[in-house]
Amino acid sequence: MKYIVFIIMCLCLCTPAKSQTYDELIDKAMDAVEQDSLLLAENYFKEALRLEPANMRNSLLFSNLGTIQRRMGKRKEALESYSLALNKTPYSVTILLNRASLLLEMNDLDRAYTDYCGVLDLDQKNPEALMFRAYIYMKRRQYQDARLDYRSYLEIDPGNKTARLGMALVNQKDKRYHESLEDFNRLIVDYPEDVSLLKARAELEIEMNSFDLALLDLENASKLAKDDPEIYVMCGDIYLLQNKKREAYNAFEKAIELGIPRPELSERLKASKRK
């Protein structure tokens, strides 16, 4: 009799979870997400998918599941979930973008590129796809293609800082130095206190052998960011190129004083001491 009662109690405990409907499970999953209980939300979504595997809304569920798994650091599981979502709705721009960004995060550039191309086949002016496909082209050294994507992006949002910087860097990589310099000049006019832009223009000026201009940019950068050791490393490198070894040595020592480990600059320090 006790055994029968125990079985009944077990059945009673298990029944509520099994009797929950598809919609109830989804609601519970969404509540769990709001409470940042991601593992619980993942389990509720999986249970809903098991309960009604043919439900037409499962594409959205797989997509949400993928996003949760991604937040939990389960990248492979997230990728599988996004792919299952796309099996059901292959022309979903949102899900393609989610999978593409995950693939980019996983450094799978080729598959990310395919997804971004898929997005742009559906939406030729999608800003996110244009921006990140341009980035992939840059990594592949396909500078002309990257330039076209950044140009398309800037037609949508002419003032976008990231796209404008991307264009400047593309021109620099493609050795179109004067175009790149013009790009940087316009950016610095618009963002005069952006230290990273001053340093980037200095790097371009070094490539152009305009060492004095580069030093001037770095001097202005140091006024805005007095504790940035990279500025002094760059200055030291320029001084070495100019054969100004004492100035180079002092710049490297300043960089060390600001936090660069001495072993990282040991070769530069030796070079600045040579006769």
Side-chain angles (χ1 to χ4, degrees):
M1 189 66 180
K2 289 180 181 179
Y3 178 73
I4 293 172
V5 170
F6 176 74
I7 293 295
I8 292 170
M9 288 175 65
C10 288
L11 288 171
C12 289
L13 289 171
C14 295
T15 300
K18 289 187 176 180
S19 66
Q20 291 177 108
T21 68
Y22 179 86
D23 288 328
E24 287 172 343
L25 288 165
I26 294 172
D27 288 341
K28 287 192 172 185
M30 298 309 294
D31 289 341
V33 170
E34 287 182 8
Q35 296 170 17
D36 209 31
S37 300
L38 300 184
L39 181 59
L40 190 59
E42 180 187 28
N43 290 333
Y44 280 132
F45 276 129
K46 285 181 175 179
E47 184 61 30
L49 289 163
R50 281 193 291 267
L51 191 64
E52 295 190 24
N55 194 298
M56 294 188 66
R57 288 184 287 164
N58 282 350
S59 173
L60 181 58
L61 261 64
F62 275 122
S63 179
N64 289 338
L65 178 60
T67 299
I68 288 167
Q69 290 166 330
R70 184 177 179 179
R71 287 176 59 187
M72 295 170 69
K74 299 179 177 180
R75 290 179 175 177
K76 290 183 179 179
E77 293 92 331
L79 185 59
E80 183 180 355
S81 295
Y82 286 141
S83 297
L84 289 169
L86 286 166
N87 286 344
K88 295 180 178 294
T89 52
Y91 303 115
S92 169
V93 167
T94 300
I95 301 173
L96 278 168
L97 287 172
N98 283 340
R99 187 171 71 175
S101 65
L102 175 60
L103 288 165
L104 201 60
E105 190 178 299
M106 296 170 72
N107 204 33
D108 192 339
L109 299 187
D110 291 339
R111 291 171 69 191
Y113 169 81
T114 300
D115 277 350
Y116 285 126
C117 287
V119 171
L120 291 166
D121 286 341
L122 298 166
D123 177 8
Q124 294 182 357
K125 296 295 184 181
N126 185 278
E128 183 178 341
L130 285 169
M131 181 71 77
F132 287 106
R133 191 173 72 170
Y135 167 78
I136 293 171
Y137 280 137
M138 282 276 286
K139 297 289 282 186
R140 292 177 169 183
R141 301 182 181 181
Q142 294 176 240
Y143 301 128
Q144 181 58 31
D145 293 318
R147 188 178 293 107
L148 289 173
D149 275 355
Y150 281 129
R151 190 172 293 154
S152 295
Y153 189 103
L154 289 168
E155 288 174 3
I156 303 165
D157 183 4
N160 185 274
K161 184 181 180 182
T162 302
R164 291 170 65 192
L165 177 58
M167 185 69 85
L169 293 173
V170 164
N171 285 328
Q172 180 179 353
K173 294 288 185 182
D174 206 19
K175 300 189 185 304
R176 297 168 68 158
Y177 291 135
H178 292 291
E179 291 177 52
S180 179
L181 185 58
E182 288 177 6
D183 293 332
F184 277 118
N185 289 344
R186 286 190 289 268
L187 276 165
I188 289 170
V189 167
D190 292 341
Y191 304 97
E193 296 188 359
D194 188 324
V195 172
S196 66
L197 290 176
L198 288 167
K199 288 159 66 176
R201 187 169 68 178
E203 288 179 356
L204 171 64
E205 288 161 343
I206 292 168
E207 286 187 37
M208 298 174 71
N209 294 321
S210 299
F211 300 134
D212 290 338
L213 288 175
L215 286 169
L216 181 60
D217 272 342
L218 293 171
E219 181 183 346
N220 289 330
S222 68
K223 292 175 183 176
L224 296 168
K226 296 179 180 179
D227 296 330
D228 184 343
E230 186 183 14
I231 293 171
Y232 295 95
V233 174
M234 292 176 69
C235 287
D237 287 340
I238 294 170
Y239 287 134
L240 280 179
L241 290 170
Q242 295 178 316
N243 203 33
K244 296 179 178 179
K245 296 185 178 181
R246 182 173 182 179
E247 290 89 339
Y249 182 85
N250 291 336
F252 294 137
E253 284 291 346
K254 180 66 175 179
I256 291 167
E257 180 185 324
L258 291 173
I260 297 287
R262 184 173 291 274
E264 287 187 19
L265 298 179
S266 60
E267 292 302 317
R268 287 180 168 94
L269 287 167
K270 287 179 184 177
S272 63
K273 285 182 177 180
R274 290 173 188 163
K275 294 182 180 179

